[in-house]
Structure formats: C-alpha cells, structure tokens
Amino acid sequence: MRKRFIAGNWKMYKTTVEASSLARALAAEFGGLTDRRVMVAPPFTALTAVREALAGSPILLGAQNAAAELEGAHTGEVSPRMLRDVGVAVVILGHSERRHVYGETDALVNRKVKLALAEGLEVILCVGETLDERQAGVTEKVVGGQVRAGLAGVASLAGVTIAYEPVWAIGTGRNATPEDADAVHRTIRGIVAGLYSPAAAEALVIQYGGSVKPDNAAALMRMANIDGALVGGASLKAETFVPIVRFDR
Ligand code: PGA
C-alpha cells in the first residue's frame, strides 16, 4: 500500500520570519499525522528556521534543488551534504523551472539524483511535458525519456518519489484532468516496472503537480495512480495547504 505524500514547494517566497510562522502553523495542524507524509520545501535561507519550527513534528523538511557536486569551486551552489547538515530529508530535483528557466538537462538532473541519494537524501524527481509537446502528442515520449534519463544508474528506487508536473499546468490555474494525469502516471509506472520490477513500480509514489488546490485535490487523489501532490502556490498559506493535505476528510 503506497502512503500518500503531499509536498509543498515554497519556491522563492518567504523570509525566515514568514517561513517559520507558516511552519509553526502547519506543525500545530499535523502533530499526529501518521497515515500520510507531508513535506515543506522552503528556500535555502529559511531551512534552519523551518527545521526549528518543525521540531517534534512529523512534517519532513525538504529543499528545492541541490548541486551535482559535494564541494568545491561552485559559486552559488548548495551541495546535498550541506542540505543533510541542516536537517533536510528530501530534495526536489529536476523541477520544470530548473529545467526550463535555468537550463538543467536530463544528464545534470541524473547526476544530482544519484549524488543526493548517495548522500542519504530522499529525492522527488520532477518530470513533465510542455504545452507544445502535449499538443504534438509526444507527452508520453517526453515524460518517459525524463524518467529513464533521470533514473539512469540508480540501482534501487528506495527513497525515490516521482512528481508528474505538466509544465503548462504549473502556476497557471489550468490543471490536467484527473483522467489525463492518471494516464501519464500509469505510463510512468509501466516504464518503472520495465526498468526495475513490477513490485518496485507498484510501490513507487507518484505525485501530481500543477495548480493543485483545495477544490481539485480530492478528485486527483482519487485516481488509482495518483499518490500525492507537489503543491506550489497553494502551499504558501496554511488555509489552502491544510485542506489539500486533508483532501479526504
Ligand atoms: P503550482 O506549482 O501548484 O503553483 O502550479 C506546482 C509546482 O511547481 O511544483
């Protein structure tokens, strides 16, 4: 049985004071939560403040990116070992904004995935097609390619979550229909079954991301292959993130 996993990606929002105040509000809401996993990924500058605000809470501390190197002359980068050092448990890699705005390639994302796992971090590997790709009918080819490339050389899926985030649905208010999203999730699970094993595919948690809101979370999460959500805009306030986490209550 796959455990639901709902993650908030705070992107480049929130000062340390704002971030710890939201983290404290979430910690108060989700004190006893055991039947699902919840994560928040603040900006790097707020990681320590959020870790302190989450002390004693089951909410996982996430980061939004990590370097592909452990240390060295890499001005502006933050290594997975440094993330572990400040208490990060999970790192989001290959987010579409990293791929499309900052030029991250599948090969770079793959190096990041391998290094983060080797350093003991869990990874959320993001994949997703652009609007042009969807309209050209190559969604499954693009997403499949990103899954295969992102996981190349990864021996075990322990510690790996995949997030399917159609680029055209991120921050736009347009979300994939639950049926369309589920079809892509099913394709991803099939690819993973071929790469690893049917059992590994069955155990893999696949999140949907892209304009997830309190009013569409339940319909998405009801689909057979949608196991959680990666939430951007609606994760920035407790009043919208809490009902997404509690989508079935
Ligand atoms: P959104 O972002 O929920 O604001 O669409 C999702 C994401 O980028 O992870």
Side-chain angles (χ1 to χ4, degrees), residues 9 11 95 97 165 169-172 209-213 230-234:
N9 171 12
K11 305 193 179 183
H95 188 277
E97 286 147 21
E165 299 202 303
I170 296 178
T172 58
S211 298
V212 176
K213 306 281 182 240
L230 180 54
V231 186

Side-chain angles (χ1 to χ4, degrees), residues 207-226:
Q207 298 171 324
Y208 170 78
S211 298
V212 176
K213 306 281 182 240
D215 64 0
N216 61 24
L220 286 159
M221 237 86 86
R222 205 175 291 132
M223 305 307 293
N225 288 288
I226 301 181

